[in-house]
Structures are given as C-alpha cells and as structure tokens.
Amino acid sequence: MADYLAIGHNFGDFESAKQLAAGYAWKGAGTPESARERVEQFIDALTQLRDAFASGGEAFLGTEFDWVRQLQSIDVDT
C-alpha cells in the first residue's frame, strides 16, 4: 500500500500541478525519510519486537511448566 504514495497524479496539467505531484511523490517514496521508508522501518521494528516477545514467551512458558512439574512431583501426604 505504501507504494501508492509515490504515485503523484490527478493534480492537473498545469506546471504547478505537476510540481505539486512531484513533491508529493518525492515525500511519499523518494527519500530515506519518506513515508514509505518510515512505514518499512516501523514494520521491521514491530517484526523484531514480535520475535523478541515470542522467544521470551517461550522461555517463560518453559520455566513455568518446569515449576508445575516440580510442584506436581511433591508428595503432599508426607
């Protein structure tokens, strides 16, 4: 969807309209600071966060299940 930010048309045929369209296209996807690049950076950051939480969650669950096994192995009658 972010690729559509680089399409700057429908501003008209006047020279000023063409310049305006070029400016929007450049801001949309023409620089490292463009909207498209920022969206890609956010996607990368969120993917990394998701992976970090997923791996941390697996470690937490593994530890929690170890505790459950240890508690279940205790003989409560003694």
Side-chain angles (χ1 to χ4, degrees), residues 7-76:
I7 301 172
H9 55 68
N10 295 330
F11 287 98
D13 292 329
F14 292 117
E15 186 60 33
S16 61
K18 292 177 184 178
Q19 291 172 356
L20 183 63
Y24 274 99
W26 183 72
K27 286 183 179 182
T31 68
E33 295 85 18
S34 68
R36 180 175 180 241
E37 298 300 318
R38 291 290 184 231
V39 168
E40 288 178 2
Q41 290 168 359
F42 283 125
I43 290 170
D44 290 341
L46 291 173
T47 301
Q48 291 174 6
L49 283 171
R50 180 199 64 198
D51 294 345
F53 282 124
S55 65
E58 290 171 4
F60 174 76
L61 287 175
T63 303
E64 185 176 334
F65 287 132
D66 286 342
W67 287 4
V68 170
R69 279 192 287 274
Q70 289 176 9
L71 288 173
Q72 288 175 341
S73 68
I74 296 173
D75 187 9
V76 293

